[in-house]
Amino acid sequence: MTALASPGPETPRPETTAPRDAGTVPRGRRGRRGRPRLASTIVHRAIVALLILYLTVPFGWLVVYSIYPSSNLRSTRMDFSLGDITLGEYASLLSDSSFVVPIRNSLFVATATTIICMILGSLCAYVFARFRFRGQQTLLLSMMAVQAIPAVVLAVPLFVLLRAFGLYDSLLGMILTYTAFILPLVIWMMVSFFESIPVNLEKAARVDGCTRLGIVRRVVLPLSGPGFAATSIFAFITAWSDFFLAKVLTSNTTPLLSVRTASFQGLFAMDYTAAATAGVITALPVLVLALLAQKWIVQGITEGAVKG
Amino acid sequence: MTRRTLTAAERGDRRFAVLAASPAVLTIGALFLYPLGYAVLLSLYRLNDKMPGATAFIGLENYVQLATDANFHQALGRTFVFCLVTVFGGVALAVGIAALLQNPFRGRNLARVLLLVPWAVPPVVNGIMWKLIFDGSYGAVNAVLEGLGLLDAPIQWLADPQLTMGVLMLSEVWKLTPFLALMTIASMQAIPSNIYRAASIDGAGGWDRFWKVTLPNLRGTLMFLLIVQSMWSIKVFDTIYVLTGGSGGPAEATTTINFLAYLTTFSYLDRGYGAALSITIMAIVIAVTGFWILVLGRRKEKAS
């Protein structure tokens, strides 16, 4: 991170100096000040509780919209009788091929994109982390700079390019497009994970007769496990969630889930229950994935993504 | 090891490096450089699918037209307001959340894990979610306000231009801020605790420690957050599309520059002008990024 800043205020104020209990870490531990400051603790916990509500309630509402008939949800008299809960909309959507096919397509595209990105991205990131060559920084930075290009700039040219190769409106075309968009992100994250692995381990592996590829496979990847997992999940969620590129580069023959879900809401008419249900089905896989892998993601962010 | 095997190894290494890096570099290059060149070229043409006969090379005329285009200026103004609120509001909120969760307490891990919820919700679903919550007849917000007796008649949130913009800002901040908060927490953990110890010994209270130790040490992270959030805010699209039924309405209130570029290219089919608009957006993104680097940047420091 950044260099150390000069500690604290320059004029010590002895009248408020806390007793020095040796061995305690004073990072804001309230107990250090002699008496627990109950009031501020209560305020703090209350704010945290609000934060938790803020993070979860909106999506919770979406779930509510998907399991009640909309007649129960008029703003003037909301009726949450448990007897009215129904999963009918889920059943009808999941048996409707115009909704199931997009799920399959999106699953396939996001999975394939993730696998390709992780293979190509890891190899490339390893080279950037371990080799020094001319123009390295420039190349790495320019690969990052493509993040600054708005997708709308590339939409028409990509459309023309894919059509020229017969890949417009195909799953393969989408996989290629997403791979290009997600690779820079994968490389950027993996470089920082790889840089945190001690070089000595690799040297030892070389002495034992490993090839470079063997080192990546046997030493580097196992050691960057959490980072690798976190990055894969990033890649998957990004590919699964994209809407703009899918909208521009596919038509109705190979629908992707995000486009199908967006189509549930029109400008004026909207089937609330169907839209909410489609929304929950679209969000649930990635939400569950993120929560199951939260340890890796948080660890991954903590280890690697903190670049000043 | 003799010299010869070393050079052989070096040669092998070099071959490995080129082979390992090239697929990724070439993929990125092919799918960015060619389209980018194409887009720049396209922006120099009059090319409108609704006027097939009028295609011609016109040089910088599209850009000249942009400079006096009232629609563009209005979209630019909306984007500016939107970015101002979401970037400063979002980053401030992220730092606030991070500070709230900085010290261990029971329930901190739960709060941290839940920060991932908004991040994982796809933008399209985010749009649908807020659309339903703020719906005039079935909206949760109206229900709550009426329940509290604050409302006589339901508010049509998504029919009022200003209110719709507010809902859009809220939905963006809800989705993006928690992830920035996670990153901020990560950088806060990297601040050596000795500094805090020293500050405490010098008599600094919680606030002092936050302002005089935490924030100065987050300078690099803050720059990163501001850049990332600015990029996201300028490029906002999916939520607008879903929230407004693909219109950028009501009364164009949510047509930001990126959405205008989409409408110009794909609804009005004015491809040349749309390309010029897109390239201008790219220039704005680069300018804003440069601005943050100038304001907050330092000499480059490698993160450990």
Side-chain angles (χ1 to χ4, degrees):
Chain A
M1 268 313 289
T2 45
L4 303 187
S6 57
E10 281 166 41
T11 47
R13 290 172 303 177
E15 70 274 13
T16 54
T17 307
R20 296 185 197 179
D21 333 329
T24 54
V25 183
R27 290 188 60 167
R29 286 267 172 93
R30 297 234 161 25
R32 236 186 86 73
R33 306 193 144 251
R35 58 195 165 87
R37 292 163 44 195
L38 191 63
S40 75
T41 306
I42 289 173
V43 169
H44 178 257
R45 296 297 185 278
I47 299 175
V48 171
L50 277 178
L51 170 71
I52 288 176
L53 288 176
Y54 166 80
L55 293 173
T56 51
V57 164
F59 190 74
W61 263 105
L62 192 71
V63 176
V64 167
Y65 274 111
S66 71
I67 55 177
Y68 280 104
S70 48
S71 55
N72 281 41
L73 297 170
R74 281 214 160 279
S75 303
T76 37
R77 36 172 180 72
M78 294 240 166
D79 173 12
F80 296 127
S81 327
L82 293 181
D84 292 345
I85 291 181
T86 162
L87 294 179
E89 198 61 48
Y90 286 89
S92 69
L93 272 186
L94 290 174
S95 59
D96 174 358
S97 69
S98 80
F99 193 74
V100 176
V101 171
I103 294 181
R104 265 215 311 269
N105 286 346
S106 277
L107 201 59
F108 175 69
V109 168
T111 309
T113 302
T114 305
I115 292 170
I116 298 172
C117 277
M118 290 317 292
I119 293 172
L120 299 186
S122 295
L123 285 171
C124 183
Y126 178 78
V127 172
F128 275 104
R130 284 290 182 255
F131 288 83
R132 294 286 161 259
F133 51 89
R134 258 203 315 275
Q136 182 178 25
Q137 282 299 324
T138 318
L139 190 58
L140 188 59
L141 276 176
S142 56
M143 284 211 292
M144 295 313 124
V146 297
Q147 294 286 319
I149 305 174
V152 72
V153 174
L154 305 170
V156 172
L158 275 175
F159 169 80
V160 173
L161 191 66
L162 289 180
R163 209 173 41 184
F165 286 95
L167 292 173
Y168 168 73
D169 197 18
S170 71
L171 296 182
L172 185 58
M174 290 320 291
I175 292 170
L176 258 178
T177 309
Y178 288 153
T179 300
F181 270 83
I182 295 168
L183 258 177
L185 211 71
V186 168
I187 291 169
W188 183 63
M189 287 175 76
M190 291 311 286
V191 165
S192 49
F193 295 130
F194 288 161
E195 277 177 345
S196 62
I197 294 173
V199 185
N200 290 339
L201 287 170
E202 292 180 39
K203 287 201 174 125
R206 300 210 71 169
V207 172
D208 291 343
C210 259
T211 57
R212 277 282 180 185
L213 200 59
I215 292 175
V216 175
R217 223 185 55 212
R218 294 200 180 85
V219 180
V220 177
L221 283 184
L223 283 173
S224 53
F228 192 86
T231 311
S232 313
I233 288 160
F234 261 80
F236 185 90
I237 290 185
T238 311
W240 175 271
S241 306
D242 166 78
F243 169 68
F244 178 73
L245 291 167
K247 173 145 188 58
V248 172
L249 300 176
T250 61
S251 73
N252 293 334
T253 23
T254 49
L256 289 178
L257 185 58
S258 57
V259 180
R260 180 71 184 93
T261 298
S263 71
F264 275 93
Q265 55 81 46
L267 190 44
F268 302 109
M270 176 169 175
D271 179 344
Y272 292 84
T273 319
T277 309
V280 173
I281 294 174
T282 308
L284 219 49
V286 278
L287 203 56
V288 170
L289 190 65
L291 293 181
L292 283 179
Q294 51 88 13
K295 208 175 100 200
W296 295 330
I297 295 174
V298 171
Q299 208 177 330
I301 293 170
T302 312
E303 279 176 20
V306 191
K307 279 199 159 182
Chain B
M1 262 196 185
T2 61
R3 233 185 138 74
R4 177 169 300 177
T5 53
L6 203 82
T7 51
E10 275 176 355
R11 219 174 316 135
D13 264 357
R14 186 162 304 158
R15 199 176 318 127
F16 168 83
V18 171
L19 282 176
S22 52
V25 175
L26 291 177
T27 308
I28 295 170
L31 279 156
F32 278 98
L33 290 181
Y34 170 81
L36 194 58
Y38 189 103
V40 171
L41 208 61
L42 195 60
S43 74
L44 305 177
Y45 277 82
R46 179 186 309 119
L47 182 73
N48 188 329
D49 289 8
K50 290 183 177 173
M51 300 186 286
T55 304
F57 178 83
I58 51 171
L60 293 176
E61 212 171 293
N62 280 328
Y63 293 94
V64 174
Q65 198 185 331
L66 265 184
T68 57
D69 183 343
N71 275 337
F72 173 63
H73 292 177
Q74 281 166 352
L76 205 55
R78 285 182 212 114
T79 310
F80 184 73
V81 172
F82 177 81
C83 286
L84 217 56
V85 174
T86 51
V87 171
F88 287 105
V91 171
L93 190 62
V95 174
I97 292 173
L100 203 64
L101 304 178
Q102 190 183 3
N103 302 311
F105 60 90
R106 229 193 352 203
R108 176 174 72 153
N109 280 344
L110 174 71
R112 253 194 221 189
V113 169
L114 292 177
L115 285 175
L116 288 171
V117 170
W119 169 72
V121 171
V124 167
V125 181
N126 190 36
I128 289 179
M129 195 173 85
W130 293 105
K131 198 180 164 102
L132 284 169
I133 289 174
F134 280 95
D135 187 84
S137 334
Y138 297 92
V141 173
N142 278 355
V144 169
L145 290 177
E146 277 173 38
L148 294 173
L150 296 171
L151 220 56
D152 304 330
I155 301 179
Q156 299 297 333
W157 298 88
L158 298 174
D160 178 297
Q162 264 85 33
L163 291 178
T164 307
M165 194 57 166
V167 173
L168 180 67
M169 287 169 179
L170 172 65
S171 66
E172 276 306 284
V173 168
W174 182 82
K175 172 147 177 55
L176 300 173
T177 299
F179 191 68
L180 297 183
L182 268 178
M183 292 194 146
T184 316
I185 292 174
S187 346
M188 278 184 181
Q189 284 177 332
I191 301 173
S193 54
N194 303 345
I195 307 182
Y196 285 102
R197 200 171 290 139
S200 284
I201 289 168
D202 285 345
W207 279 109
D208 281 337
R209 280 201 296 268
F210 177 75
W211 287 108
K212 298 203 165 110
V213 179
T214 310
L215 273 185
N217 273 291
L218 285 181
R219 188 191 173 109
T221 310
L222 277 180
M223 182 179 86
F224 177 77
L225 297 186
L226 288 165
I227 289 174
V228 169
Q229 180 64 61
S230 304
M231 278 188 191
W232 284 342
S233 292
I234 295 171
K235 296 197 286 187
V236 59
F237 174 83
D238 306 10
T239 321
I240 301 177
Y241 185 93
V242 176
L243 209 57
T244 66
S247 68
E252 298 194 338
T254 52
T255 303
T256 61
I257 44 174
N258 203 30
F259 204 80
L260 184 66
Y262 163 81
L263 288 177
T264 307
T265 308
F266 295 98
S267 292
Y268 317 146
L269 301 179
D270 197 344
R271 306 219 185 272
Y273 197 52
L277 189 51
S278 308
I279 300 281
T280 308
I281 296 171
M282 195 173 91
I284 291 172
V285 171
I286 293 167
V288 169
T289 308
F291 169 77
W292 288 127
I293 292 175
L294 276 180
V295 170
L296 285 164
R298 271 194 203 157
R299 54 184 183 76
K300 280 233 164 326
E301 280 152 328
K302 264 270 171 274
S304 53

